[in-house]
Amino acid sequence: MASEDVQNPPAEAGPALPDYVLDEDAVLKDTDVNWRYGRAPDYSKTRKIWSETKKASHEARSLPDLVEKLVKNWEIEASYKTKLSDWRTVDPTAYTFSVNGGPAMTGEHMLKVGTYNALIEPNEFYCPMRSNFDASHKTFKRMMPSFAWEVLEVYSGPPKVAFKWRHWGTMKEDYVGTNPEGEKVTIKAHGGVIDIEGIVVTQVNDKLQIESIEVFFDPLGMFRQMAPDGKTGVAKEKVAV
């Protein structure tokens, strides 16, 4: 057989990428899962704000784009899917979450306390121990109905992915929460933007599922922007027990 008649075998295709790194709303389409309020949430307003006010633009299927979509789908699942076994973005047998070098928390713990309470440390404005999952989400989503999120830079690729992120929104309503002393804290809405940034280091498996998330950020950054003049506009009221 002449050499020109010999064809090279086709190159093997790489593993297909999971939908949760290709479509930021992939898990919203999941059926036969337990959604917290009986149905998938609506992220259309948040996505619109993201597209209009984001700082970074990533090429489709680039590493920053894949990471951004993975984390957006993870946030949906962590906030709205009530069973860890329904979370497709994580390896449920390995998944842990930690903040600023603190202890690693399990997925079941996050399901119990909520994403806000998992992230926020006790401070003069808020106490996560005095607010359950539903109450914490009501507190912050009422104050800032749309809280967009983006990846700014990615510093390393899988399996250990390190990146810088940005989370922002407009303070449209008053903040009302409870501090560690049991006082009701009210901060008047200023109608301005709250914009926070931080770093994440996450470990992923060969399916690009998250095995661990380590978040590093200033936990008081959001509250300082809610009350930019310090105590001005902040009211505290002792709550009867």
Side-chain angles (χ1 to χ4, degrees):
M1 182 180 292
S3 60
E4 60 266 23
D5 294 330
V6 178
Q7 296 183 350
N8 292 324
E12 291 186 11
L17 292 171
D19 63 345
Y20 48 77
V21 302
L22 299 175
D23 176 2
E24 63 191 7
D25 295 324
V27 301
L28 289 174
K29 303 164 189 174
D30 291 352
T31 57
D32 299 324
V33 299
N34 291 279
W35 291 108
R36 184 162 299 276
Y37 302 111
R39 57 185 174 85
D42 182 1
Y43 272 68
S44 58
K45 291 182 180 179
T46 298
R47 300 296 188 239
K48 184 174 185 293
I49 289 173
W50 168 81
S51 66
E52 293 174 347
T53 58
K54 63 181 179 176
K55 289 183 177 180
S57 294
H58 307 302
E59 184 180 348
R61 292 181 174 246
S62 65
L63 181 58
D65 180 63
L66 300 179
V67 172
E68 186 170 86
K69 288 179 168 63
L70 170 62
V71 178
K72 285 183 176 181
N73 279 296
W74 165 83
E75 188 276 327
I76 293 170
E77 295 192 310
S79 297
Y80 292 101
K81 286 185 177 180
T82 61
K83 292 177 62 177
L84 189 61
S85 58
D86 286 337
W87 296 18
R88 297 196 288 118
T89 56
V90 307
D91 176 352
T93 66
Y95 172 74
T96 60
F97 181 93
S98 67
V99 179
N100 293 336
M105 296 175 279
T106 65
E108 293 296 342
H109 176 77
M110 179 171 279
L111 277 172
K112 180 180 179 181
V113 304
T115 49
Y116 287 104
N117 286 340
L119 278 165
I120 300 173
E121 300 172 356
N123 60 74
E124 62 178 304
F125 304 106
Y126 183 76
C127 180
M129 281 75 79
R130 291 180 178 271
S131 183
N132 62 24
F133 193 124
D134 289 338
S136 65
H137 276 244
K138 182 178 180 180
T139 293
F140 293 103
K141 289 183 181 296
R142 177 182 178 276
M143 175 193 78
M144 194 158 43
S146 297
F147 205 8
W149 188 92
E150 69 175 329
V151 165
L152 296 175
E153 298 178 84
V154 177
Y155 306 118
S156 64
K160 189 176 285 290
V161 185
F163 59 91
K164 184 178 182 181
W165 53 267
R166 174 183 175 235
H167 210 4
W168 75 101
T170 301
M171 188 181 183
K172 293 188 174 182
E173 301 290 341
D174 294 352
Y175 164 81
V176 181
T178 304
N179 69 13
E181 286 69 45
E183 297 170 319
K184 177 183 176 182
V185 181
T186 302
I187 305 176
K188 291 296 184 182
H190 53 56
V193 174
I194 294 174
D195 196 326
I196 58 177
E197 295 181 2
I199 299 292
V200 159
V201 179
T202 183
Q203 184 81 21
V204 298
N205 63 18
D206 57 359
K207 298 177 182 177
L208 300 182
Q209 290 176 311
I210 297 168
E211 295 180 329
S212 66
I213 300 178
E214 298 175 84
V215 180
F216 300 92
F217 79 120
D218 177 2
L220 282 176
M222 176 174 66
F223 295 98
R224 292 193 189 100
Q225 292 180 58
M226 287 159 53
D229 298 323
K231 300 297 182 181
T232 303
V234 179
K236 294 183 180 181
E237 173 188 350
K238 190 65 179 180
V239 179
V241 178

